[in-house]
Amino acid sequence: ASRQHIKFKNTQQKITNICNELTVPFSDFHPENTTNSISAYLKSENILDRLLYSEINTYISSLDTNKRANFSVNVDSLLSYALNETNKVESDCRKVIIKLYDHFQLAIQQIENIQEILSNGITDTKQNLINDIKGIEKEYIAILGIFASIVLTFVIPTLEPRFTGLTISGKPIFSSILSCKFCLSVKYSFALID
């Protein structure tokens, strides 16, 4: 492996280690320890001369909500520690901490924007599906109405001779069937209007 590749891998590992320190529960976090880790990182010879923001972004994006909350609280604490002059944090180390804090804030905004876009997209898709289903239901009702009209128009008259003389409550059965045919035709007409 080339020297640059080794530097890249070392930088990746050291940044991941620093990020791991920032994801511990707040009660276990000690900003002076992370400051020392960053100072050691800066003094390392086998690293790239800049932070790998893509590595930080990937790390933050992979965190669950609880670890992301830990990272947020801890990076705030780390920044406060670094900016407090009584802690005598070296200038280069302070700059890295500020960059780390700033990059975390940008990554969180990106994550929240992506989540909002996905949420809006899901809501829109759901509404479109509901509208499509309602349209399909209307089409099914219309098709069933047409089918019922065809059955009533062509099948019932062929059955009329078989029902001659049969009555229900003193009324001929066939006239009851014709009443139903009329009711269904009216209902079908209203279904098409809707």
Side-chain angles (χ1 to χ4, degrees):
S2 73
R3 182 162 166 72
Q4 288 301 317
H5 183 71
I6 292 170
K7 282 185 170 186
F8 175 78
K9 286 296 184 188
N10 286 341
T11 303
Q12 259 184 331
Q13 186 57 50
K14 289 183 185 291
I15 288 174
T16 299
N17 291 342
I18 292 167
C19 288
N20 285 337
E21 290 182 33
L22 289 164
T23 58
V24 299
F26 177 70
S27 58
D28 297 336
F29 180 71
H30 302 287
E32 61 277 2
N33 293 345
T34 305
T35 301
N36 291 337
S37 296
I38 292 170
S39 289
Y41 162 78
L42 291 171
K43 291 174 184 168
S44 298
E45 292 182 18
N46 244 355
I47 61 164
L48 298 175
D49 59 351
R50 62 181 309 269
L51 286 175
L52 294 174
Y53 292 110
S54 60
E55 191 67 27
I56 297 167
N57 197 37
T58 300
Y59 186 91
I60 293 167
S61 298
S62 71
L63 296 176
D64 63 29
T65 306
N66 291 334
K67 287 190 176 184
R68 200 176 292 149
N70 288 344
F71 197 108
S72 178
V73 171
N74 292 340
V75 81
D76 282 345
S77 174
L78 180 63
L79 181 65
S80 295
Y81 179 85
L83 295 178
N84 184 340
E85 292 187 15
T86 60
N87 293 322
K88 299 180 181 171
V89 175
E90 297 168 1
S91 176
D92 287 345
C93 185
R94 186 179 310 112
K95 287 177 186 176
V96 168
I97 291 170
I98 291 169
K99 288 178 182 181
L100 187 61
Y101 172 86
D102 194 37
H103 190 71
F104 173 76
Q105 299 304 322
L106 291 171
I108 289 299
Q109 285 179 356
Q110 289 173 346
I111 291 167
E112 288 173 356
N113 287 342
I114 289 169
Q115 288 173 341
E116 184 178 337
I117 289 167
L118 288 174
S119 176
N120 290 341
I122 289 169
T123 302
D124 291 346
T125 301
K126 182 179 175 184
Q127 189 58 47
N128 289 341
L129 282 172
I130 290 170
N131 292 341
D132 289 349
I133 290 170
K134 285 180 182 179
I136 290 170
E137 286 174 348
K138 287 180 182 181
E139 290 175 18
Y140 283 148
I141 291 170
I143 291 168
L144 288 173
I146 291 169
F147 180 72
S149 296
I150 291 170
V151 168
L152 292 173
T153 303
F154 296 107
V155 175
I156 299 296
T158 62
L159 298 175
E160 181 179 4
R162 295 184 185 160
F163 292 105
T164 304
L166 296 175
T167 62
I168 296 177
S169 303
K171 292 185 179 179
I173 288 178
F174 191 71
S175 66
S176 297
I177 292 172
L178 289 177
S179 298
C180 287
K181 179 180 172 183
F182 175 74
C183 291
L184 285 172
S185 297
V186 170
K187 186 172 182 173
Y188 167 71
S189 299
F190 284 116
L192 286 178
I193 293 171
D194 285 341

